[in-house]
Amino acid sequence: MTMSFVPKLLVCDLDNTLYDWVGYFVPSFYAMVDAVVEVTGCDREILLDDFKKVHQNHHDSEHPFSLLETATIVGLYPDKSNSEIKELLDPAFYAFNSTRKRTLALFPGVKETLDVLDSNGIKIVAHTESNLYAVIDRLRRLSLTGYFLKIYCRERSAANHPDIGASEKWLADFPMGKVIELSRHQRKPDETVLLEICSQCGVSAEQAAYAGDSMARDVLMAKKANVFAIWAAYGARHDSDEYEKLVRITHWTPEDVEREKQIAKQAQNIRSDFVAENSFADILQPFGMSVQRYPVHG
């Protein structure tokens, strides 16, 4: 497919578009859970139930240090501070971190594709529903920060780091001037956020493209904003066992589930303007650009 115009802006989803979020987060999370069970001898299923409650309370499955808020851990260490508990459960946090180090990786061709876009003067903006801390952590680990003119993400958690002052120090060397924090009410597929991004970048909706793995959120939002919609189909493929494990501890409430059903209905008859079937590098085709072929994500 060719386009009748050359886009000046690419707004890009992050999770499952630039890297396999499910493929890294689920193994890392459950490595932590298994380590907690080994250290404390607690009931694994009850602990998972506790995690789900904490996640629903904060509307976030990546709530920082959610382990410290679970009823199981609070009950086991009633007289200890969060900092002390964090120290006692260090093997669990280590398990998460070590598994993340092994499993978090960019999809093939991502940096090369971003380099091509950047060298051709295309503005690139990140837009994700993940929270500030999770986003900054992944952008740092994957060395992606420099590619983005702006980074739109969900506002930071109200919870403090167990070590006083650690959060502020951790953010101190990140270019926070790039970051725009969105409230949980500004969720996809709210097209007003996308239109604001275009306006802030001095680009009309007709001169912008949006790339994301979700038809119901990313593609629907782009179509509602009259932005060229690219579906990252390769990122929508997940291991069924891993996805079931994610659902087990998801932050979704019954209200969230109902909202998703309504969004799915809205998205039933929409079609993306372009499908990136095999890799992120495919998105260069509608831009009239190219980069060498990379292995297909399976």
Side-chain angles (χ1 to χ4, degrees):
M1 175 183 288
T2 59
M3 299 170 64
S4 59
F5 65 96
V6 178
K8 296 182 178 180
L9 168 68
L10 172 66
V11 185
C12 188
D13 176 51
L14 297 178
D15 299 346
N16 300 315
T17 298
L18 300 187
Y19 46 81
D20 186 350
W21 180 82
V22 175
Y24 112 79
F25 179 74
V26 173
S28 301
F29 183 88
Y30 278 86
M32 176 181 67
V33 168
D34 291 339
V36 173
V37 172
E38 184 175 347
V39 170
T40 67
C42 70
D43 185 290
R44 189 174 188 271
E45 293 305 310
I46 292 177
L47 179 61
L48 291 176
D49 288 339
D50 290 346
F51 268 116
K52 189 178 183 73
K53 291 175 184 176
V54 173
H55 293 163
Q56 288 183 337
N57 183 51
H58 291 282
H59 307 282
D60 191 350
S61 295
E62 285 191 283
H63 178 62
F65 295 99
S66 57
L67 175 60
L68 304 182
E69 295 184 35
T70 59
T72 293
I73 297 305
V74 172
L76 285 172
Y77 305 106
D79 301 320
K80 295 191 178 296
S81 67
N82 278 348
S83 182
E84 291 172 320
I85 298 173
K86 176 176 171 286
E87 194 69 30
L88 289 169
L89 297 180
D90 183 66
F93 294 112
Y94 176 81
F96 183 99
N97 293 334
S98 60
T99 305
R100 172 178 56 193
K101 185 175 181 180
R102 176 171 52 83
T103 57
L104 177 60
L106 294 171
F107 284 133
V110 166
K111 282 193 176 179
E112 292 84 355
T113 301
L114 292 174
D115 283 334
V116 170
L117 293 168
D118 182 63
S119 65
N120 280 274
I122 306 298
K123 297 177 181 179
I124 309 172
V125 170
H127 178 215
T128 176
E129 291 189 322
S130 290
N131 72 69
L132 173 76
Y133 296 121
V135 171
I136 288 179
D137 181 73
R138 288 194 280 276
L139 292 180
R140 275 176 166 157
R141 291 178 187 279
L142 297 170
S143 301
L144 288 176
T145 308
Y147 287 105
F148 300 114
L149 180 66
K150 291 291 181 181
I151 301 162
Y152 287 75
C153 64
R154 184 177 162 184
E155 61 190 345
R156 69 194 75 187
S157 169
N160 292 323
H161 192 287
D163 302 323
I164 297 174
S167 296
E168 289 72 17
K169 292 178 182 177
W170 189 73
L171 294 176
D173 61 349
F174 191 83
M176 292 300 292
K178 288 188 173 189
V179 178
I180 293 88
E181 296 180 64
L182 304 170
S183 76
R184 65 177 297 268
H185 302 292
Q186 295 175 289
R187 291 182 290 176
K188 300 175 183 179
D190 180 1
E191 73 274 20
T192 62
V193 175
L194 181 50
L195 291 171
E196 177 190 333
I197 293 173
C198 292
S199 175
Q200 290 296 317
C201 291
V203 173
S204 69
E206 293 75 19
Q207 295 173 309
Y210 193 100
D213 65 288
S214 173
M215 288 292 293
R217 293 190 187 88
D218 301 319
V219 173
L220 175 60
M221 176 181 62
K223 298 297 285 186
K224 288 166 68 177
N226 198 31
V227 166
F228 190 84
I230 301 174
W231 180 39
Y234 61 88
R237 304 171 190 136
H238 306 297
D239 180 276
S240 59
D241 290 338
E242 287 188 343
Y243 196 77
E244 286 181 14
K245 288 181 177 179
L246 178 62
V247 171
R248 175 72 175 85
I249 50 90
T250 184
H251 63 282
W252 282 6
T253 62
E255 291 74 22
D256 291 325
V257 172
E258 182 58 34
R259 177 179 183 271
E260 290 301 312
K261 288 180 180 178
Q262 295 303 316
I263 292 173
K265 286 182 180 179
Q266 293 179 47
Q268 269 184 336
N269 298 317
I270 66 162
R271 296 291 182 271
S272 63
D273 296 301
F274 181 80
V275 178
E277 188 68 42
N278 299 314
S279 75
F280 185 69
D282 290 348
I283 74 166
L284 291 176
Q285 294 179 38
F287 282 78
M289 304 169 192
S290 63
V291 68
Q292 70 180 82
R293 268 317 211 183
Y294 291 88
V296 173
H297 171 64

